[in-house]
Amino acid sequence: MTMISAGVVPGRRVASYCGVGLALMLAVTLAVVAWFGPGRVFTGLLAGFVLGAAALAALYKRDGVVLTDDAIELRTPLAHEVLSWDRVVGARFALDERARWSLALDLSGGDEPHGELVLVSIPPVRGPVSSAYELDMRERIEAIREFLRRKRVPVTVLPEIAGALSEHWKIAPPTR
């Protein structure tokens, strides 16, 4: 069974996850200082930082979209929803409202905002892969593209996006 992780974490959830991490760091720091005395502030900060970072990582890992052969899973730390592939009308790689390139599934029915599910959002590609982030995004886009091709989901790509991905990242445009 094929599984691909995708999805974009909205800014509000990012802020709330950071708030949880900071609150946990503060609570652990205060607990260590209260238990062992003011001489252990650094120890408390270190322990709080480690636990806060672990909580932040766990929240991010739980948040996202998982594409499987059977369904599309929407996950957040507090909820889990499964969508059928029958609801997918198509996919598009276009500019979003923040001038980033986003690969999104167009959905029919349901209560998703605007009937779309964003899988990847990246800054415009202007050159060859030059960082680990870009390499990860290139591999993710390639995997999603191949998965959608196998599922026979039609993908629309703006010509300038297709050209840049083909030229700089060596990702061939979708074929019909």
Side-chain angles (χ1 to χ4, degrees):
M1 179 162 150
T2 305
M3 286 180 44
I4 297 178
S5 295
V8 177
V9 181
R12 284 189 178 144
R13 283 205 301 258
V14 169
S16 66
Y17 295 167
C18 289
V20 167
L22 286 173
L24 187 57
M25 182 176 133
L26 181 62
V28 169
T29 301
L30 291 176
V32 168
V33 169
W35 187 265
F36 295 106
R40 293 293 178 187
V41 170
F42 181 74
T43 304
L45 282 171
L46 183 61
F49 176 77
V50 168
L51 289 175
L56 192 61
L59 290 169
Y60 268 108
K61 185 170 176 58
R62 175 72 180 134
D63 199 315
V65 177
V66 177
L67 306 175
T68 67
D69 292 326
D70 301 326
I72 303 165
E73 298 178 25
L74 308 176
R75 302 182 318 181
T76 64
L78 301 177
H80 181 260
E81 185 179 352
V82 178
L83 301 176
S84 168
W85 278 102
D86 297 340
R87 296 211 23 221
V88 177
V89 177
R92 62 187 149 68
F93 212 146
L95 287 170
D96 66 11
E97 63 276 356
R98 295 183 342 229
R100 293 174 60 91
W101 295 355
S102 67
L103 176 57
L105 294 177
D106 292 323
L107 305 172
S108 64
D111 18 332
E112 288 79 29
H114 313 305
E116 73 177 17
L117 180 60
V118 178
L119 301 176
V120 177
S121 179
I122 62 171
V125 173
R126 305 208 191 289
V129 173
S130 62
S131 68
Y133 170 78
E134 288 180 353
L135 181 61
D136 180 51
M137 287 298 109
R138 182 198 179 283
E139 290 172 353
R140 185 171 295 185
I141 290 168
E142 186 71 56
I144 292 170
R145 181 180 156 271
E146 288 301 318
F147 189 83
L148 293 176
R149 179 182 288 161
R150 269 198 341 267
K151 294 298 284 180
R152 299 191 186 279
V153 174
V155 179
T156 305
V157 182
L158 287 177
E160 60 267 18
I161 294 174
L165 288 176
S166 177
E167 177 184 348
H168 301 302
W169 284 8
K170 308 301 183 222
I171 297 176
T175 57
R176 299 261 182 221

